[in-house]
Amino acid sequence: GLCGGFNSDVMELVERFRAEHAGEALDCVAVGAVIDRRLRRAGLAPRRFHAQPDLTARDATVRAIADDAQARFLAGEAGAVYTIYSWFRAGLRHDPVIEQILPAPFAARDGGRPFVALEPSPAAVLDMLLPEFVYAAIDHAFLNSVGAENAARQRAMSRASRNARDMLRDLRRRYSRERQELVTREMLELVAGGGKS
């Protein structure tokens, strides 16, 4: 209730479907009290009724409907299974649609393996994923490049620090040797100079 022509739009599509399948036995499963009442008024008493579930309990309702539809189809009690519902397009727009569920709308592609038409289409998925893939590949390359650059900087700084320590050690040894030689020379000169007097 309080949703304007929501249920009326669905019922119009039900009536159109009924006209297209005139002479065939239609077996309905209703979800929601308003649709149940309207189907009964239209002479299409639902075989099964489900109250509109809240979002947390919908899994059990959907599972029950799906299991029942599949079991009846596989047993040959139903030749086809369709859903008629309102497809949410945008904030203020919804369109009633009919979708065949069973038999699944398989189609052969170029005589090859059958495939199911998916929504969105493979091209739409590729259109959406390809830019993300390219972005991720470039981002991956960028992040790896930045990481490698920082690692190279650390390695170069580490090598420079090690070289500086080695150079400092060599300079200290050389300084110590030069100093020792200077001290030794001065002592020798003192000793040599002291012996002449």
Side-chain angles (χ1 to χ4, degrees), residues 7-171:
N7 292 305
S8 299
D9 293 343
V10 170
M11 282 306 296
E12 281 180 29
L13 198 54
V14 167
E15 289 298 341
R16 196 175 326 143
F17 183 80
R18 183 184 198 182
E20 291 171 2
H21 293 85
E24 297 178 29
L26 297 180
D27 205 358
C28 299
V29 174
V31 178
V34 175
I35 288 293
D36 181 58
R37 261 194 327 272
R38 291 198 178 182
L39 286 171
R40 289 179 191 282
R41 246 186 268 139
L44 289 168
R47 188 178 62 75
R48 186 169 278 169
F49 164 73
H50 296 274
Q52 181 70 34
D54 66 356
L55 290 177
T56 57
R58 81 182 189 286
D59 186 56
T61 301
V62 171
R63 179 72 51 209
I65 295 169
D67 290 348
D68 179 55
Q70 185 174 339
R72 296 196 69 218
F73 178 78
L74 292 175
E77 298 171 21
V81 176
Y82 296 86
T83 57
I84 301 177
Y85 65 98
S86 284
W87 178 27
F88 177 77
R89 288 190 185 271
L92 298 174
R93 186 165 174 221
H94 64 275
D95 295 320
V97 294
I98 299 174
E99 289 181 355
Q100 180 178 332
I101 297 175
L102 295 170
F106 290 111
R109 179 175 40 196
D110 300 329
R113 215 170 64 135
F115 70 99
V116 178
L118 298 174
E119 171 121 13
S121 69
V125 171
L126 185 61
D127 287 347
M128 189 171 71
L129 289 181
L130 190 58
E132 292 301 316
F133 169 76
V134 172
Y135 171 83
I138 292 171
D139 190 47
H140 179 75
F142 175 78
L143 291 174
N144 275 283
S145 180
V146 168
E149 181 185 1
N150 285 329
R153 279 192 180 128
Q154 283 185 326
R155 209 172 27 252
M157 292 305 291
S158 177
R159 216 175 302 133
S161 295
R162 189 172 53 247
N163 289 345
R165 278 193 303 271
D166 292 347
M167 191 182 296
L168 190 59
R169 188 178 56 241
D170 289 346
L171 287 172

